[in-house]
Amino acid sequence: MRPLPSLNALKVFEAVARHRSMTRAAEELCVTHGAVSRHIRSLEETLGVLLLSRGARTSEPTMEGARLAEGLASAFALIETSIERVRPGPLTLSCSSSIMMEWIIPRIGRFHARHPHVEVQFNMNYDRIDFMRDKISIAIRASVIEPPPGAVIRDLGAEEIGPVCAPSYLAQYPISDPADLVDAALLGTRTRAQAFAEWQAAAGCEALALEPRSSFAHFYLLIQAAIFGLGVAMVPQMLVADHIASKRLVAPLGFCQGPRRLVLWIAPHLAGHPDTLALERWLIREMRVLPQG
C-alpha cells in the first residue's frame, strides 16, 4: 500500500487552500510560514502532484488541489462534528459588538442565575460563519445574512426601528412629526448606511430628505453620541430599550417594523443538547420581554 499523507500536512493544506495564503494559514494554525511551506512540499511529494500555484501574495489551489481541499474540508468538518457530539465544549454565542454591549451584557447575568452550570463564551461577529471552523454554537443575525449550511433557524421576530435622542436634545429641538427631522442633526452608522431610508419606507415618509450629518463605525458608538445630546440616531429598538426605560433616551416618533427580521442560527450538531436548548429558550424569552419606553 502507498503511504498515506501526514494528517498535519493535510490540515495545513486545507487551511492554505481556504485562505489562499500560507501566511494566513500559519496564523490560524499558530505555526511558522516555513513550517507551512514544508508541509505543503512534503504533501506534494507524497501525492506526486502540484497542489498550489504559488504567487507573490497568494497561493491558489490547482485543479487537483481544489478537488483535494474540498474533500478535506468535508472530512475535517465531519471529524469535528463527531467529536463535538460526544464531548461538547462551552457554548459560544456569536453576535455583533453592539448587540453584545447593549443587549447581551445587561441581561446575561439572568441566564447565569437560571443556569449556573452552563458556560457561555462570546464571539463578536456579524457576518457569515462556519459553525465548526469558528466553533460557534448559536448566532444572532439579521435575516438578510445567508445562514451556514444545515443551520437550525429560529425566528426572533421583526426588528423595530425608530429615531431616538437625548431628552435634553428633544427639549431644545422638538420632534413631533417626521418632517421635524429634516432640520435635526441626524446621526448614522457605517454598519447600516441605509437605516434612515429603511425607516422612511416603513413609516411612509420617503419624500423627506433625511441625510445623516455624522456617521459612526458601530451602533454602540452611535447610541452613545445620541445619549450625550449630539443629535438624532436611527436605531433598532432592542439596542436602546434599556436606555429608553431609564430615560437616558427618548423615541419621539416611536418605533415601526423595519424590513429585517432577527433570527437565531443554531449549530445542527448541537441543536437539542440541553445546554443549547437552555440558551436558545432564554434568548427567545428575553427578546419577547423588551422594556418599552
Side-chain angles (χ1 to χ4, degrees):
M1 293 180 63
R2 288 184 294 178
L4 291 175
S6 157
L7 185 60
N8 283 339
L10 292 173
K11 185 68 174 175
V12 167
F13 170 71
E14 189 278 330
V16 173
R18 173 161 36 86
H19 288 297
R20 301 307 198 258
S21 166
M22 288 193 184
T23 300
R24 292 182 64 187
E27 291 172 353
E28 176 184 309
L29 300 172
C30 299
V31 297
T32 65
H33 187 283
V36 170
S37 182
R38 287 192 296 273
H39 275 302
I40 298 300
R41 187 165 56 251
S42 171
L43 184 59
E44 289 178 328
E45 291 173 355
T46 300
L47 297 178
V49 295
L50 185 67
L51 298 173
L52 294 173
S53 177
R54 296 158 174 83
R57 295 182 178 275
T58 62
S59 299
E60 294 290 333
T62 63
M63 184 180 300
E64 292 81 5
R67 189 178 299 121
L68 177 60
E70 181 180 2
L72 289 175
S74 299
F76 287 133
L78 180 60
I79 291 171
E80 291 183 15
T81 299
S82 300
I83 292 172
E84 289 295 326
R85 283 175 176 160
V86 175
R87 189 191 60 192
L91 296 179
T92 299
L93 173 63
S94 173
C95 64
S96 72
S97 54
S98 294
I99 290 178
M100 177 63 63
M101 293 181 67
E102 300 290 353
W103 197 79
I104 294 293
I105 289 177
R107 292 165 172 76
I108 195 65
R110 297 202 286 263
F111 176 78
H112 291 317
R114 278 178 174 264
H115 306 282
H117 64 286
V118 180
E119 184 179 353
V120 181
Q121 299 176 344
F122 301 106
N123 168 279
M124 283 180 282
N125 170 29
Y126 208 58
D127 207 341
R128 298 178 64 181
I129 57 170
D130 181 293
F131 285 121
M132 297 306 306
R133 184 188 69 232
D134 302 322
K135 301 189 183 304
I136 303 298
S137 310
I138 297 181
I140 301 174
R141 291 293 188 272
S143 57
V144 296
I145 304 173
E146 183 181 353
V152 177
I153 299 176
R154 300 282 186 258
D155 183 65
L156 292 176
E159 183 185 72
E160 300 278 324
I161 56 175
V164 302
C165 61
S168 59
Y169 185 90
L170 187 64
Q172 189 173 0
Y173 304 101
I175 298 170
S176 59
D177 184 89
D180 295 330
L181 294 175
V182 173
D183 297 320
L186 303 183
L187 311 174
T189 173
R190 291 189 287 276
T191 57
R192 196 181 300 185
Q194 68 276 32
F196 275 93
E198 290 181 352
W199 175 79
Q200 287 181 255
C205 55
E206 297 98 319
L208 297 177
L210 302 182
E211 190 66 33
R213 299 180 188 178
S214 302
S215 184
F216 296 84
H218 299 282
F219 269 119
Y220 65 84
L221 297 175
L222 172 65
I223 291 166
Q224 286 299 303
I227 287 172
F228 285 97
L230 299 188
V232 180
M234 187 62 64
V235 295
Q237 190 250 354
M238 71 172 292
L239 296 183
V240 292
D242 293 334
H243 296 305
I244 291 174
S246 64
K247 309 301 182 184
R248 299 181 75 195
L249 288 173
V250 292
L253 301 178
F255 295 91
C256 60
Q257 183 174 315
R260 304 164 187 245
R261 299 189 70 81
L262 285 170
V263 296
L264 288 182
W265 297 343
I266 303 171
H269 65 285
L270 295 176
H273 186 277
D275 290 357
T276 310
L277 280 173
L279 182 57
E280 172 193 339
R281 290 167 179 167
W282 179 80
L283 288 168
I284 292 172
R285 183 167 54 249
E286 287 291 322
M287 191 67 68
R288 291 174 179 168
V289 294
L290 283 173
Q292 302 297 315

